[in-house]
Amino acid sequence: MIVWLNGTHGAGKTTTSALVQQLIPDSRVFDAETLMDITPGLPGTDNFQHWPPWRPLVVETARHVLDYTGGTLVMPMTVLVEQYWREISAGLAQHSIPVRHFVLHADQETLRGRIEGDTDMGPSAFRLKYLAPYAEAARTWLHDEAEVIDTTHLTPTLAAQRIAEAVTS
């Protein structure tokens, strides 16, 4: 099974995924962003998700890891383009891999404050530019495709507990 944690920057995906992994037996965190850690980068885009190889690599890598290890993959990964989500989820379905899709949501003011106040990564114009696309995706398709966990006033520990309970019940 895959537990996919979606949402934009500042929603708490990375922190929550590590906590979810601790709560679900036989699980591992797989950050699909690492698949495009290629130097120099592939040409022609400002976002690796636009590279055609990325989406099938996510599917194939997850499939091979699950075939090898079994268990659950917890995947913290923002996907805001509906077509990309459809490609990934359809590819996983073709391999009979169940996906529990969660969106970690927070209001725009909270997200902005988290990004601007991030003491690990520092303020990031790159991360801030995804607030509007996230709001549009949430309004038009994303929240309909997932179980939404509002993290505006929720600690990562409580968010992780809610997700783990939903997955294991």
Side-chain angles (χ1 to χ4, degrees):
M1 168 188 282
I2 291 175
V3 175
W4 194 291
L5 303 185
N6 205 339
T8 196
H9 304 283
K13 295 179 308 298
T14 301
T15 302
T16 303
S17 66
L19 296 167
V20 168
Q21 186 274 321
Q22 294 171 16
L23 296 171
I24 298 176
D26 196 26
S27 65
R28 290 162 182 74
V29 174
F30 168 41
D31 183 349
E33 187 171 327
T34 61
L35 294 173
M36 287 290 121
D37 190 8
I38 299 170
T39 305
L42 298 178
T45 183
D46 64 341
N47 184 326
F48 64 87
Q49 289 188 12
H50 301 316
W51 291 329
W54 181 74
R55 296 172 303 278
L57 279 171
V58 170
V59 171
E60 288 304 310
T61 304
R63 178 179 71 88
H64 284 287
V65 170
L66 286 171
D67 284 350
Y68 182 69
T69 64
T72 300
L73 288 182
V74 179
M75 296 181 62
M77 187 74 240
T78 300
V79 179
L80 301 180
V81 177
E82 184 176 8
Q83 173 190 337
Y84 298 172
W85 177 251
R86 300 258 176 256
E87 289 176 39
I88 292 167
S89 58
L92 295 168
Q94 285 179 334
H95 295 291
S96 301
I97 299 171
V99 177
R100 289 293 294 268
H101 184 199
F102 294 89
V103 171
L104 301 186
H105 172 79
D107 62 56
Q108 293 281 304
E109 181 181 328
T110 299
L111 292 168
R112 184 174 301 284
R114 289 177 185 172
I115 293 168
E116 290 173 348
D118 190 322
T119 56
D120 291 330
M121 297 181 70
S124 167
F126 174 83
R127 295 169 76 203
L128 287 169
K129 81 176 188 177
Y130 284 94
L131 293 180
Y134 168 73
E136 178 66 11
R139 185 184 65 74
T140 59
W141 71 272
L142 183 58
H143 284 193
D144 294 335
E145 293 290 323
E147 300 169 62
V148 178
I149 307 288
D150 191 333
T151 67
T152 303
H153 302 290
L154 201 62
T155 66
T157 299
L158 289 174
Q161 288 171 347
R162 286 188 185 176
I163 292 164
E165 288 170 8
V167 169
T168 59
S169 65

